[in-house]
Amino acid sequence: MIRRLTVCFAGLTVLFPVSWTPIFAQAPPMQQRPAIIVSGTVRDSAGSPIVDASVFFEEKATAASIEAKTDHEGTFSFLSLRAGSFLVRARKEGLREAVSGPMELSLGQKKQLDLVLLSKPSVHAKKQSKVNSP
């Protein structure tokens, strides 16, 4: 069986030499579509990166969103193939949500954002402020 395959392959090599290239292999590379790139960092009020924060890239017209998590440097990145009005939201347990936008973005545009998540007031601090209120 192996001998027959070797003979068949040898015969094909004679009919179609290795240097012969089929026409479809010469197709030009696909052109890249323009896209919107939104990237940035999520930090706390002291400027430290927030790791594993949830960042949402939301299309305002449809409320459709995609989520990314920040890396060890607090960075995130999104790619969109459609222009429109967008919001970017960042969340992390124990911190207040940060929102950027709405912003009108066009294809081919790059946007850099820096979001800061502030501490939520503690339950004790909330009670204390109510007691001290006139």
Side-chain angles (χ1 to χ4, degrees), residues 6 14 16 41 47-48 50 55 66 75 85 98-99 101 108 111 117 126 132:
T6 304
V14 171
F16 303 102
T41 58
S48 300
I50 298 180
V55 184
I66 53 175
T75 62
S85 182
V99 180
K111 183 80 172 172
L117 300 184
K126 284 182 184 177
N132 294 334

Side-chain angles (χ1 to χ4, degrees), residues 59-106:
E59 185 176 21
K60 191 175 177 203
T62 64
S65 68
I66 53 175
E67 179 183 4
K69 294 284 190 174
T70 56
D71 63 13
H72 68 282
E73 294 178 337
T75 62
F76 64 89
S77 185
F78 293 102
L79 178 95
S80 176
L81 297 176
R82 185 166 58 194
S85 182
F86 297 93
L87 295 169
V88 176
R89 300 175 187 274
R91 296 181 187 143
K92 180 75 175 185
E93 184 73 30
L95 300 171
R96 292 183 188 170
E97 177 182 77
V99 180
S100 180
M103 55 194 136
E104 292 294 325
L105 299 174
S106 305

Side-chain angles (χ1 to χ4, degrees), residues 7-124:
V7 171
C8 284
F9 182 71
L12 288 173
T13 304
V14 171
L15 292 174
F16 303 102
V18 176
S19 63
W20 178 77
T21 343
I23 293 174
F24 60 83
Q26 299 297 323
M30 290 181 56
Q31 291 182 349
Q32 291 183 345
R33 292 178 57 185
I36 296 168
I37 299 172
V38 176
S39 57
T41 58
V42 179
R43 300 186 182 280
D44 63 16
S45 58
S48 300
I50 298 180
V51 178
D52 206 34
S54 295
V55 184
F56 300 89
F57 184 65
E58 180 181 314
E59 185 176 21
K60 191 175 177 203
T62 64
S65 68
I66 53 175
E67 179 183 4
K69 294 284 190 174
T70 56
D71 63 13
H72 68 282
E73 294 178 337
T75 62
F76 64 89
S77 185
F78 293 102
L79 178 95
S80 176
L81 297 176
R82 185 166 58 194
S85 182
F86 297 93
L87 295 169
V88 176
R89 300 175 187 274
R91 296 181 187 143
K92 180 75 175 185
E93 184 73 30
L95 300 171
R96 292 183 188 170
E97 177 182 77
V99 180
S100 180
M103 55 194 136
E104 292 294 325
L105 299 174
S106 305
L107 291 176
Q109 190 172 354
K110 293 180 181 179
K111 183 80 172 172
Q112 178 71 31
L113 300 174
D114 293 309
L115 302 169
V116 177
L117 300 184
L118 302 173
S119 298
K120 287 184 178 178
S122 67
V123 174
H124 178 72

